[in-house]
Amino acid sequence: MMLISFANVVRVIHLTTQPFDISVVICTYTFERWNDLLSAVRSVQRQVIPPQEIIVVVDHNPSLLEQVRANLPDVLAIENSGIKGLSGARNTGIEVAKSRLIAFFDDDEVLDPQCLSKLSHWFEQPQVVGAGGRIIPNWLSPRPSWFPEEFGWVLGYSYKGLPTGPAPVRNLIGGSMCFHRSVLDQVGGFRDGIGRINKTPLGCEETELCIRILQQGPEARLIYEPEAVVHHRTPPERATWNYFRKRCFYEGISKAVISQYVGANDSLSSERLYTARVLPRGILKGIGDFLFHHDKSGLARAGAILVGLFFTAAGFVYGAFSLRQKQFKSNLEKTELKGTI
């Protein structure tokens, strides 16, 4: 059987994609987000031109699945047929999607009416295989004055340091991303074993996927489109120091995990620039706000950047060490087994 090269897949994308031929996948797992899910689905249905289908994937919660089917008859509600977690749920959505483009959004987001149209038009370009939009926080409590914009990724939204206009990026943000189905099939979808499971704040499954896409096809492009806007619900319990530190630590662990799969050079390329350029500017700005504008929160923001960097680095070291220990034990067991033969 003849193998199709990644370059040929990109050319086929250009020839076959039609605007708004999109399947939207929304993954959910808890009754706690029921009202959020309803709002998310309505916002997709109210797009300037709606998608071909809306797929709601319920992650191993039969009662919730029944409720979705009973109350949202216009969507395709299915159960995660894979491993529990966000990666398995998204892969289940890919399996049943009928459209050439597949978009992924979270169950606690609301899309602007033109979001899908802003994303879909990029696929008219021959080398664009993915596009993602800007995610804006919808604070349900006052935004903490100490919270730095550079760490928006902690809460799942766009952060300071991303391009201010449309531009190629290494990876899209998980809460707003659209891919051509051919590319997802080519790379095998999201990798199981990484990504969020219920409330455990692991992540980076979308980063690992995007890196694999670019590794297999250097001519491919992933586009960040800031005019494709999504509003992300941010509850009070996430606007705390405790969540900030915890999320940073788990982000570091996640980076260590994906480094094991795609290599440290690619998995940390954007992070190196972010750490060397974006964070120092944020620290200096916070200190400047304190010194020259008498803004006490500026000093707190500068401190939060340092704290966030520390906990992220600590998580990476912890994750890398844990993975090495696991590999060491595995190799030791193999050596002992050979010695008994």
Side-chain angles (χ1 to χ4, degrees), residues 323-336:
L323 290 169
R324 289 194 187 99
Q325 288 294 101
K326 184 178 180 180
Q327 185 63 42
F328 174 78
K329 291 179 180 178
S330 176
N331 292 338
L332 181 62
E333 289 172 358
K334 292 178 182 178
T335 301
E336 290 176 346

Side-chain angles (χ1 to χ4, degrees), residues 11-232:
R11 285 193 287 270
V12 170
I13 290 171
H14 178 54
L15 294 173
T16 61
T17 299
Q18 298 298 321
F20 306 109
D21 184 9
I22 302 176
S23 295
V24 170
V25 176
I26 300 175
C27 301
T28 190
Y29 70 94
T30 176
F31 284 102
E32 294 177 9
R33 293 188 178 183
W34 175 249
N35 290 330
D36 298 325
L37 175 63
L38 294 179
S39 297
V41 170
R42 292 191 193 104
S43 73
V44 176
Q45 293 172 332
R46 293 170 182 167
Q47 292 295 291
V48 172
I49 300 179
Q52 179 177 334
E53 60 181 350
I54 302 173
I55 303 169
V56 175
V57 184
V58 179
D59 191 14
H60 296 274
N61 190 333
S63 298
L64 179 58
L65 177 62
E66 292 180 9
Q67 182 161 311
V68 173
R69 287 174 173 169
N71 291 273
L72 294 171
D74 295 329
V75 309
L76 174 60
I78 59 175
E79 184 177 10
N80 176 11
S81 60
I83 297 175
K84 186 176 183 179
L86 190 52
S87 292
R90 284 173 171 166
N91 285 335
T92 299
I94 294 171
E95 291 175 4
V96 303
K98 300 175 182 177
S99 306
R100 293 187 178 94
L101 302 180
I102 305 178
F104 301 90
F105 299 98
D106 291 343
D107 61 351
D108 54 356
E109 294 178 334
V110 172
L111 285 62
D112 274 5
Q114 294 186 345
C115 182
L116 289 182
S117 65
K118 294 288 186 180
L119 294 178
S120 66
H121 89 276
W122 282 103
F123 291 89
E124 298 171 10
Q125 297 190 15
Q127 293 184 332
V128 173
V129 297
R134 180 162 56 106
I135 303 176
I136 298 175
N138 175 21
W139 296 93
L140 302 186
S141 60
R143 173 180 172 167
S145 60
W146 55 264
F147 190 87
E149 293 181 4
E150 291 80 2
F151 277 75
W153 52 265
V154 167
L155 301 175
Y157 65 82
S158 300
Y159 53 91
K160 194 169 186 178
L162 285 174
T164 56
V169 291
R170 182 199 63 180
N171 64 274
L172 308 176
I173 303 176
S176 175
M177 52 187 180
C178 183
F179 299 98
H180 198 284
R181 196 225 168 81
S182 298
V183 173
L184 294 175
D185 290 342
Q186 182 84 359
V187 300
F190 294 88
R191 187 183 296 276
D192 290 329
I194 60 177
R196 181 177 290 267
I197 300 176
N198 292 342
K199 295 183 178 181
T200 303
L202 290 168
C204 294
E205 72 285 345
E206 72 280 353
T207 301
E208 193 273 345
L209 170 70
C210 290
I211 292 174
R212 270 191 290 126
I213 289 174
L214 296 180
Q215 286 179 337
Q216 293 196 29
E219 73 282 2
R221 294 292 180 268
L222 301 172
I223 300 296
Y224 174 66
E225 172 53 87
E227 291 189 6
V229 178
V230 171
H231 302 268
H232 190 177

Side-chain angles (χ1 to χ4, degrees), residues 170 211 215 259 262-272:
R170 182 199 63 180
I211 292 174
Q215 286 179 337
S259 294
V262 298
N265 286 337
D266 288 338
S267 66
L268 299 176
S269 58
S270 296
E271 287 72 14
R272 291 190 185 101

Side-chain angles (χ1 to χ4, degrees), residues 282-301:
I283 293 171
L284 291 176
K285 184 179 184 305
I287 295 174
D289 289 342
F290 172 70
L291 293 176
F292 303 113
H293 301 288
H294 307 291
D295 180 6
K296 294 181 180 180
S297 61
L299 200 59
R301 288 191 295 273

